[in-house]
Amino acid sequence: MSQKERVDLIEVDLLDMCKYILSKWVFILIGMVVFAGAGFGYAKVKGKTEYSSRMKVYVTIPKTSDKVLIRDSASELTYDYVSLAQTDLILDKVAKESKVPRKIVRDALQAVVVDGTRIIEFQIDTSNKENAENISKKVIPVYQDVVQNKLGRNKLIVVSKPSKVEAKQTISVKEFTIIGAIAGFVVMVGISLILHLIVQIKKTKKNLV
């Protein structure tokens, strides 16, 4: 068999393979639907609704600092206030005033520094909408009280007030459904290819005999 004949043979085999796969489109479609349904079901069962709110404050500069210390002290204070979010000073007071259990407050409240700034963003994330609303209303007032009265520092400037509590899914139903459909397509095409190869191998053996 010449090289050209071998190439022609491969092309015919690939064409036959494509035709075989296309002939199984119903089989592939059913597989995609089944896998998409599995992805949808998984997301619904495992996914949870989480309620969140955001707010920002700006760390002011101590009036008694000189120009060199102003920058350094403000930067240090910013990170001090971030760490303060998970201390008893903040957690106990927020829990008491919001009437939300301390453990829930601790898990829900996070503070992060906006890169390159002295702005702190407080994040409230919890599975209960009412808790999210109650906690978000008390975080900044509690911080102001602790910073001014307990620590003797300058008042924080509120950059943005608590945002309206928004609901979001921890697992995207749409994303998992699409992933399931793609996985179903890949699996069904793979099975079709294997079946086609098995048929071809059997034909080849029969011809040799």
Side-chain angles (χ1 to χ4, degrees):
M1 182 182 292
S2 67
Q3 185 68 21
K4 185 177 183 302
E5 289 173 332
R6 290 180 181 178
V7 172
D8 289 341
L9 181 59
I10 294 173
E11 289 178 350
V12 170
D13 288 342
L14 290 175
L15 183 61
D16 288 343
M17 186 178 292
C18 290
K19 287 181 178 180
Y20 181 82
I21 292 174
L22 289 174
S23 70
K24 300 296 182 182
W25 69 269
V26 175
F27 173 68
I28 294 172
L29 182 61
I30 292 173
M32 290 177 66
V33 172
V34 171
F35 275 75
F40 177 85
Y42 177 84
K44 279 292 186 181
V45 172
K46 295 294 184 179
K48 296 180 181 178
T49 301
E50 194 169 74
Y51 298 92
S52 62
S53 178
R54 302 286 182 270
M55 63 209 78
K56 293 179 181 178
V57 296
Y58 181 81
V59 178
T60 56
I61 300 167
K63 294 178 181 179
T64 55
S65 299
D66 58 36
K67 290 184 179 180
V68 176
L69 293 177
I70 279 174
R71 183 176 61 254
D72 295 338
S73 296
S75 176
E76 291 173 3
L77 280 176
T78 302
Y79 286 95
D80 285 347
Y81 294 162
V82 167
S83 300
L84 196 64
Q86 290 294 311
T87 64
D88 293 341
L89 281 174
I90 298 296
L91 295 177
D92 289 345
K93 195 170 180 63
V94 171
K96 181 180 179 181
E97 296 194 7
S98 66
K99 294 180 173 55
V100 177
R102 185 182 185 280
K103 183 180 184 304
I104 294 177
V105 174
R106 183 192 65 195
D107 294 339
L109 176 60
Q110 293 182 29
V112 295
V113 177
V114 178
D115 289 341
T117 71
R118 294 197 294 269
I119 295 176
I120 300 173
E121 180 181 53
F122 295 107
Q123 307 173 359
I124 310 299
D125 295 297
T126 183
S127 59
N128 184 284
K129 184 178 181 180
E130 186 178 354
N131 286 345
E133 291 174 343
N134 292 336
I135 294 171
S136 65
K137 291 176 182 177
K138 299 300 179 181
V139 171
I140 291 180
V142 167
Y143 249 89
Q144 296 287 36
D145 178 66
V146 170
V147 167
Q148 288 183 273
N149 300 324
K150 298 289 185 181
L151 304 181
R153 299 290 183 176
N154 285 9
K155 184 178 181 179
L156 300 171
I157 297 176
V158 180
V159 178
S160 60
K161 296 179 181 180
S163 63
K164 183 179 179 181
V165 173
E166 297 180 350
K168 62 180 180 179
Q169 293 292 325
T170 55
I171 296 179
S172 173
V173 174
K174 182 179 179 181
E175 182 179 334
F176 268 77
T177 302
I178 293 173
I179 291 174
I182 294 173
F185 176 80
V186 173
V187 170
M188 293 303 107
V189 170
I191 292 174
S192 297
L193 286 174
I194 292 172
L195 292 175
H196 179 71
L197 290 174
I198 292 173
V199 171
Q200 293 302 312
I201 291 171
K202 289 182 177 179
K203 285 183 179 179
T204 301
K205 289 183 177 180
K206 185 176 180 180
N207 291 334
L208 290 174
V209 175

